[in-house]
Amino acid sequence: MSVPEDDKRLLPLAQRWPRASKFLLSGCAATVAELATFPLDLTKTRLQMQGEAALARLGEGARESTPYRGMIRTALGIIQEEGFLKLWQGVTPAIYRHLVCYEFCYWFTHYKIYEINGNLKKTQAFPFTIRKSVIGGMMAGVIGQFLANPTDLVKVQMQMEGKRKLEGKPLRFRGVHHAFAKILAEGGIRGLWAGWVPNIQRAALVNMGDLTTYDTVKHYLVLNTPLEDNIMTHGLSSLCSGLVASILGTPADVIKSRIMNQPRDKLGRGLLYKSSTDCLIQAVQGEGFMSLYKGFLPSWLRMTPWSLVFWLTYEKIREMSGVSPF
């Protein structure tokens, strides 16, 4: 039954434009979470580059010499040697990733694939399985991250600018927009999608772990425990989703960061790695299997509060706006 136009004008904005409202609410939640946890992301990226065995191929002089060893010493070193605000270097393209590309496509695929499955589960029109949940989360991550790859590329390279300065190397960029322009001028459109394969692999794994775990744990707690659909349930579910997402996504994240940050020739070809598989092999052979989990601790510490802040903010804003819970 349709609502008269006069009555529609009296409805809250969230009810008049529910899909657009969900997109904006999710974008606000993601921005808050990004700003709150970005220093951990920067620390994670710096740790992922430490001891990179492939640098030896550029000559003995190209080997990395860094005073950092662990997460705390790395973070303190950035503050002492580069300044406190450098912990947020690269946060602008990280926000762009959500608001410009990733958030739109993630919301679209999430609504069309994931929430529709959730509605089917609630109405019992069709059996809802973990398999559908996994597929929906992975598709949302793959499509969104592919379109957002240029912003992720710029973010990683900007995060390494402080280290290049300490090593006496010239800075590559004057700012975010200069970074986009320079990468485009040197490598063309294709250059903006460097590292897209491990990037979408990571996104698929992270989204699979995050969305699936949050949804599964939340509904399990609501249906099988005295807990209700409230902040306690949201918090417990997001803590579980952050841990699973970090475990699944860290190896692909290490490979993605190294491919995106590697030096390139005039044709835009990487000088260290031919592909994500080549990067994987060199890392395992030169540094051992656990090198794929470099930066896991800050990644987990970031993913867990990021998931916590995002889901709590998202659920709360939806409640305040009159939108149904996730």
Side-chain angles (χ1 to χ4, degrees):
M1 182 177 178
S2 61
V3 180
E5 287 296 324
D6 292 339
D7 293 341
K8 282 185 177 180
R9 295 192 185 97
L10 299 177
L11 294 174
L13 293 178
Q15 296 181 22
R16 291 165 61 186
W17 297 293
R19 296 185 182 183
S21 297
K22 289 179 182 179
F23 164 67
L24 293 174
L25 297 177
S26 181
C28 291
T31 300
V32 172
E34 195 71 45
L35 289 170
T37 63
F38 190 80
L40 287 167
D41 185 76
L42 175 67
T43 304
K44 173 207 70 178
T45 301
R46 295 286 182 93
L47 287 170
Q48 289 174 340
M49 303 300 177
Q50 288 189 141
E52 198 169 358
L55 288 173
R57 290 170 48 186
L58 296 181
E60 189 67 26
R63 286 184 180 272
E64 178 190 27
S65 57
T66 172
Y68 308 141
R69 290 295 181 269
M71 182 189 72
I72 296 178
R73 291 181 62 189
T74 298
L76 291 177
I78 294 172
I79 295 173
Q80 294 172 354
E81 300 168 5
E82 303 172 40
F84 178 75
L85 292 180
K86 291 300 181 179
L87 290 172
W88 279 269
Q89 186 164 15
V91 71
T92 302
I95 294 176
Y96 284 173
R97 179 181 65 172
H98 288 285
L99 300 184
V100 179
C101 298
Y102 179 74
E103 186 58 37
F104 172 77
C105 194
Y106 167 81
W107 168 84
F108 181 80
T109 52
H110 174 270
Y111 181 83
K112 292 298 185 182
I113 299 170
Y114 202 87
E115 285 198 350
I116 286 178
N117 281 336
N119 290 334
L120 292 178
K121 172 181 61 177
K122 294 171 185 176
T123 60
Q124 299 299 319
F126 294 96
F128 181 83
T129 63
I130 294 295
R131 177 178 60 83
K132 290 181 180 179
S133 178
V134 169
I135 293 175
M138 291 183 70
M139 290 183 66
V142 167
I143 298 173
Q145 197 61 65
F146 176 78
L147 293 181
N149 195 81
T151 56
D152 218 9
L153 175 68
V154 171
K155 183 202 77 169
V156 170
Q157 294 197 8
M158 289 191 68
Q159 286 177 327
M160 298 304 297
E161 286 295 89
K163 182 181 175 184
R164 288 177 60 87
K165 185 176 181 180
L166 291 176
E167 294 174 346
K169 299 177 181 178
L171 298 181
R172 293 171 289 190
F173 315 119
R174 295 191 298 270
V176 178
H177 301 108
H178 178 246
F180 280 108
K182 185 176 180 181
I183 293 173
L184 183 62
E186 294 178 352
I189 294 294
R190 186 176 180 180
L192 290 172
W193 267 266
W196 70 271
V197 173
N199 203 9
I200 66 171
Q201 291 171 342
R202 172 196 171 276
L205 293 169
V206 168
N207 275 270
M208 178 181 69
D210 187 27
L211 285 172
T212 306
T213 305
Y214 182 83
D215 185 64
T216 303
V217 173
K218 175 183 172 180
H219 286 91
Y220 176 84
L221 292 175
V222 171
L223 295 175
N224 298 280
T225 71
L227 294 176
E228 299 179 354
D229 191 354
N230 52 28
I231 189 172
M232 176 65 71
T233 303
H234 302 162
L236 292 174
S237 302
S238 61
L239 290 174
C240 294
S241 67
L243 175 60
V244 174
S246 298
I247 293 173
L248 293 177
T250 297
D253 194 26
V254 171
I255 295 171
K256 175 213 73 172
S257 296
R258 291 188 174 192
I259 288 180
M260 286 183 168
N261 190 61
Q262 70 173 324
R264 299 182 177 274
D265 60 20
K266 295 182 179 180
L267 298 177
R269 294 174 299 195
L271 299 178
L272 298 180
Y273 310 111
K274 299 177 182 178
S275 64
S276 57
T277 303
D278 182 41
C279 181
L280 172 66
I281 293 173
Q282 289 196 54
V284 174
Q285 289 181 344
E287 305 164 52
F289 176 80
M290 292 309 297
S291 65
L292 299 177
Y293 280 89
K294 285 185 175 181
F296 171 78
L297 183 57
S299 178
W300 175 35
L301 292 177
R302 175 181 184 263
M303 186 68 68
T304 298
W306 195 101
S307 182
L308 183 65
V309 172
F310 172 78
W311 286 114
L312 291 181
T313 305
Y314 187 37
E315 295 271 19
K316 190 62 179 178
I317 296 178
R318 286 176 70 121
E319 177 188 339
M320 294 171 61
S321 304
V323 180
S324 60
F326 179 80

